[in-house]
């Protein structure tokens, strides 16, 4: 419980500008001891800029004005030599990507000793091991001796949280601490932060674009758009009775809060299977041992249907879609697409099949060549397959771009001149331009804000209704799967443990593993629907 008479952090009329461009304008909020406050909003709303202001980590081009007061000290006016001892010791920071926060060529232990040096002159190794045990790392000594690449994402995030809480800070700033993690790992990390906050009476400033997490984990909220506070207050009040149009829109865009939002766009799939995966198994040799990545997997997808594959990292989802796309050859079993066998085909045969089977990658930032224009990116496959004349190809590109809701005048731009949502629409247009029957969607919205995600989902469902497309949808977001898919297969350790209509599987799961996934969804949203 928060100590109500003690403020840990007070931000008053904070404004931040880069050059002449103001990105945060007159933001005010406060966090009491032991309290959690979430800053929420889409990319560009100013969340991370506010966090960097609190931590005094703005780039040289950034200028902050107003008041940022930590335990009675004005952070912005302190000389760096006086603030430096606070950063890390009194104000902890959990970054978004643990892979980039740790030195890859040094052991975890050698890096952890630096954090221990902030609070202890002797017994630092024992202090680190005790802290690793406190944050739920089962084998602290192995973690201590490991390099970052030898640990999973969830373990690395626990390491970072351990290093953050080791000096017993009064405030933790957590910037999207679970955005790259599976739903079950996400729940463990959030449970850990909540437990440490209560046990150690630590205040938490949580930066997130996931409103479902904010609803469950924060005592109060600040809703931001374009650097301006749209709404602020008690979490339950903001979510149950939003007073600003922007907060209302964010509420409407959260899949967990609006499971039936797209029912009006859903079409009934046909009865003829477009995809059949039968008894497929695939293993790899890793460090001398044989690992079965996909084990006797079978499912069928009808024409015009969306079938989702869900499960944690390592469950076999990615290997399954690589087999479906002909990028891997199964050890046994068969895969057919539109009646054509995908397995055992030559490169030339697969090339003809891939005209009807396209892939939209997870990350629009890395899947598009930054030196190409939109026109070239979308039209590349038309050139490769020598489809039509040059004017006809230009028409096809324009049609595909317009179909995903982009303006034709964007075709001359390069990816750097587009937003994340526009980039993903370009990726979808590139898949559409060949007029395929089947599109494989590999986490197509995981890198996007909830409002942008909603627009992409609406585009995909509209295209499915208009063109009769069949989708295979890979995702760890069960709430989105419930909105988007007709059927689902739950994968665990390479096997399908449960499969069926999406509402049946997710609303009334039979298997313990499926129940674990469903129960890992933020519980706070259930009472706010």
């Amino acid at each position: 419980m928060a100590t109500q008479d003690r403020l840990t952090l007070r931000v008053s009329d904070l404004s931040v500008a880069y050059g002449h461009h103001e990105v945060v304008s007159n933001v005010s909020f406060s966090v009491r001891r032991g309290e959690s406050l979430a800053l929420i909003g889409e990319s560009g709303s100013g969340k991370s800029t506010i966090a960097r202001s609190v931590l005094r980590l703005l780039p040289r081009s950034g200028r902050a004005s107003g008041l940022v007061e930590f335990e009675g000290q004005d952070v912005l006016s302190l000389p760096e030599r006086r603030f430096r001892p606070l950063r890390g010791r009194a104000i902890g920071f959990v970054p978004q990507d643990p892979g980039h926060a740790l030195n890859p060529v040094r052991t975890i232990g050698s890096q952890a000793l630096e954090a221990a040096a902030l609070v202890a002159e002797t017994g630092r190794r024992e202090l680190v091991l005790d802290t690793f045990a406190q944050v739920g790392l089962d084998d602290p000594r192995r973690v201590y001796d490991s390099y970052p690449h030898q640990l999973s994402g969830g373990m690395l995030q626990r390491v970072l949280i351990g290093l953050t809480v080791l000096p017993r800070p009064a405030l933790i700033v957590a910037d999207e601490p679970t955005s790259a993690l599976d739903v079950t790992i996400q729940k463990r990390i959030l449970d850990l932060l909540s437990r440490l906050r209560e046990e150690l009476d630590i205040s938490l400033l949580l930066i997130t674009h996931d409103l479902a997490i904010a609803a469950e984990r924060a005592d109060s909220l600040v809703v931001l758009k374009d650097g301006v506070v749209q709404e602020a207050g008690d979490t339950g009040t903001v979510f149950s009775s939003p007073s600003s149009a922007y907060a209302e829109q964010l509420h409407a865009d959260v899949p967990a809060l609006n499971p039936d939002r797209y029912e009006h766009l859903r079409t009934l799939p046909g009865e003829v299977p477009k995809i059949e995966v039968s008894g497929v198994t695939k293993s790899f040799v890793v460090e001398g041992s044989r690992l079965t990545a996909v084990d006797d997997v079978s499912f069928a997808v009808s024409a015009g249907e969306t079938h989702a594959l869900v499960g944690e990292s390592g469950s076999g989802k990615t290997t399954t879609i690589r087999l479906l796309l002909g990028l891997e050859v199964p050890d046994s079993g068969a895969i057919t697409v539109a009646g054509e066998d995908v397995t055992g085909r030559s490169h030339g045969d697969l090339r003809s099949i891939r005209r009807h089977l396209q892939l939209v990658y997870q990350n629009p930032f890395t899947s598009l060549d930054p030196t190409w224009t939109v026109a070239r990116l979308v039209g590349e496959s038309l050139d490769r397959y020598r489809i039509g004349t040059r004017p006809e190809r230009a028409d096809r590109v324009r049609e595909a771009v317009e179909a995903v809701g982009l303006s034709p005048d964007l075709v001359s731009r390069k990816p750097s001149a587009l937003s994340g949502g526009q980039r993903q629409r370009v990726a979808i247009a590139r898949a559409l331009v060949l007029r395929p029957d089947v599109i494989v969607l590999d986490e197509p919205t995981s890198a996007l804000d909830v409002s942008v995600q909603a627009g992409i989902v609406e585009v995909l469902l509209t295209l499915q209704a208009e063109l009769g497309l069949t989708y295979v949808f890979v995702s760890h977001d069960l709430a989105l799967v419930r909105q988007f898919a007709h059927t689902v297969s739950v994968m665990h350790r390479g096997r399908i443990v449960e499969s069926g209509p999406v509402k049946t599987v997710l609303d009334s799961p039979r298997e313990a593993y499926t129940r674990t996934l469903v129960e890992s969804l933020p519980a706070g949203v259930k009472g706010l629907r």
Side-chain angles (χ1 to χ4, degrees):
M1 294 296 291
T3 306
Q4 295 300 317
D5 58 351
R6 184 175 175 187
L7 279 180
T8 301
L9 179 69
R10 183 163 72 96
V11 175
S12 181
D13 294 325
L14 175 66
S15 296
V16 182
Y18 294 108
H20 297 294
H21 179 52
E22 191 172 74
V23 295
V24 171
S25 180
N26 297 316
V27 169
S28 299
F29 61 87
S30 61
V31 188
R32 297 187 181 277
R33 186 75 176 188
E35 184 181 49
S36 61
L37 180 142
L39 299 178
I40 61 176
E42 57 196 23
S43 295
S45 63
K47 307 186 301 294
S48 292
T49 297
I50 293 170
R52 286 193 290 267
S53 298
V54 171
L55 293 158
R56 287 276 294 268
L57 293 176
L58 287 173
R60 290 184 179 181
S61 59
R63 292 180 295 103
S65 61
L67 178 70
V68 176
E69 194 174 72
F70 170 72
E71 295 197 323
Q73 298 185 80
D74 183 0
V75 166
L76 298 183
S77 65
L78 279 179
E80 177 61 21
R81 62 180 175 79
R82 290 185 57 194
F83 180 77
R84 192 179 298 117
L86 297 177
R87 189 191 299 121
R89 181 181 281 113
I91 305 176
F93 178 49
V94 180
Q96 178 174 355
D97 187 350
H100 288 103
L102 294 166
N103 190 327
V105 298
R106 294 176 58 197
T107 63
I108 297 296
S110 68
Q111 298 177 69
L113 289 177
E114 295 176 355
L118 295 173
V119 293
E121 294 184 3
T122 60
R124 293 172 185 171
R125 185 176 187 274
E126 290 70 24
L127 179 60
V128 169
L129 293 174
D130 287 346
T131 302
F132 283 173
Q134 185 180 26
V135 298
L137 290 164
D138 294 332
D139 191 346
R141 286 182 172 79
R142 182 180 77 82
V143 172
Y144 186 95
D145 294 330
S146 296
Y147 288 90
H149 74 272
Q150 295 174 310
L151 303 179
S152 68
M155 293 176 73
L156 288 176
Q157 197 64 293
R158 285 172 181 258
V159 166
L160 285 181
I161 292 172
L163 300 187
T164 301
V165 301
L166 192 151
R168 299 298 187 262
L171 171 69
I172 291 178
V173 179
D175 189 2
E176 300 277 7
T178 62
S179 63
L181 303 177
D182 292 322
V183 62
T184 51
I185 305 300
Q186 171 182 281
K187 184 177 186 300
R188 290 177 202 149
I189 295 299
L190 292 170
D191 285 346
L192 171 61
L193 283 171
S194 296
R195 177 171 61 81
L196 292 171
R197 182 170 63 87
E198 293 178 3
E199 291 178 355
L200 305 176
D201 203 25
I202 294 173
S203 303
L204 177 65
L205 180 61
L206 177 64
I207 315 299
T208 183
H209 69 271
D210 191 325
L211 278 75
I213 287 176
E216 181 182 43
R217 301 291 175 166
D219 298 314
S220 54
L221 303 177
V222 175
V223 182
L224 293 157
K225 184 178 189 297
D226 298 329
V228 177
V229 174
Q230 304 295 304
E231 195 159 349
D234 171 80
T235 298
T237 302
V238 172
F239 268 86
S240 61
S241 305
S243 60
S244 68
Y246 180 67
E248 287 181 356
Q249 185 59 54
L250 285 180
H251 189 285
D253 289 338
V254 179
L257 297 173
N258 303 278
D260 300 319
R261 175 177 179 176
Y262 300 108
E263 283 299 309
H264 66 290
L265 293 175
R266 299 288 290 276
T267 56
L268 292 175
E271 297 181 1
V272 178
K274 179 66 72 171
I275 299 169
E276 291 184 277
V277 177
S278 304
V280 168
T281 296
K282 178 66 179 178
S283 60
F284 301 93
V285 175
V286 180
E287 297 180 351
S289 300
R290 183 162 293 277
L291 171 68
T292 301
V294 172
D295 188 2
D296 194 26
V297 163
S298 299
F299 62 87
V301 189
S302 298
E305 183 177 57
T306 299
H307 184 75
L309 298 176
V310 304
E312 297 171 286
S313 295
S315 63
K317 305 187 303 295
T318 297
T319 301
T320 298
I321 64 171
R322 287 182 61 82
L323 291 165
L324 175 61
L325 292 163
L327 301 175
E328 300 284 355
V329 178
D331 300 333
S332 60
I335 300 173
T336 61
V337 177
E340 295 191 66
D341 188 358
V342 174
T343 57
R345 289 296 191 101
S346 67
H347 178 74
D349 289 339
L350 283 174
R351 189 170 181 269
S352 66
I353 292 174
R354 286 183 186 141
R355 283 190 60 174
H356 307 286
L357 178 64
Q358 289 290 301
L359 170 67
V360 175
Y361 291 93
Q362 176 176 357
N363 194 338
F365 299 91
T366 58
S367 65
L368 303 176
D369 190 320
T371 66
W372 287 14
T373 65
V374 169
R376 186 177 178 188
L377 287 164
V378 176
E380 179 192 11
S381 53
L382 297 176
D383 296 335
R384 185 186 304 151
Y385 285 98
R386 298 178 182 176
I387 294 173
T389 63
R390 182 173 294 180
E392 288 171 341
R393 290 197 289 270
D395 287 341
R396 287 273 288 267
V397 168
R398 187 168 54 253
E399 288 173 7
V401 167
E402 290 178 345
V404 298
L406 291 175
S407 172
D409 61 12
L410 294 181
V411 297
S412 60
R413 294 190 187 180
K414 293 181 179 178
S416 60
L418 304 176
S419 68
Q422 288 173 327
R423 287 189 182 104
Q424 196 60 298
R425 287 174 189 249
V426 169
I428 296 169
R430 185 170 60 171
L432 281 176
V433 76
L434 285 174
R435 297 173 183 168
D437 302 313
V438 178
I439 297 180
V440 177
L441 301 157
D442 185 9
E443 299 272 12
T445 63
S446 65
L448 304 176
D449 293 321
V450 64
S451 52
V452 181
Q453 172 183 278
I456 296 297
V457 169
E458 190 155 345
V459 164
L460 289 169
L461 289 173
T462 300
L463 291 170
Q464 185 174 52
E466 292 176 351
L467 305 176
L469 296 172
T470 303
Y471 295 140
V472 176
F473 178 52
V474 178
S475 181
H476 69 274
D477 187 338
L478 298 187
L480 181 59
V481 165
R482 194 185 187 285
Q483 274 191 330
F484 184 59
H486 296 90
T487 55
V488 60
S489 290
V490 181
M491 298 192 70
H492 181 50
R493 296 180 179 176
R495 298 185 65 88
I496 291 178
V497 297
E498 190 162 356
S499 190
V502 68
K503 292 183 180 180
T504 301
V505 171
L506 298 186
D507 291 352
S508 304
R510 300 188 316 272
E511 300 296 321
Y513 178 71
T514 309
R515 287 196 295 273
T516 298
L517 290 180
V518 172
E519 289 166 1
S520 297
L521 288 169
V525 300
K526 296 172 184 175
L528 294 170
R529 278 182 195 156

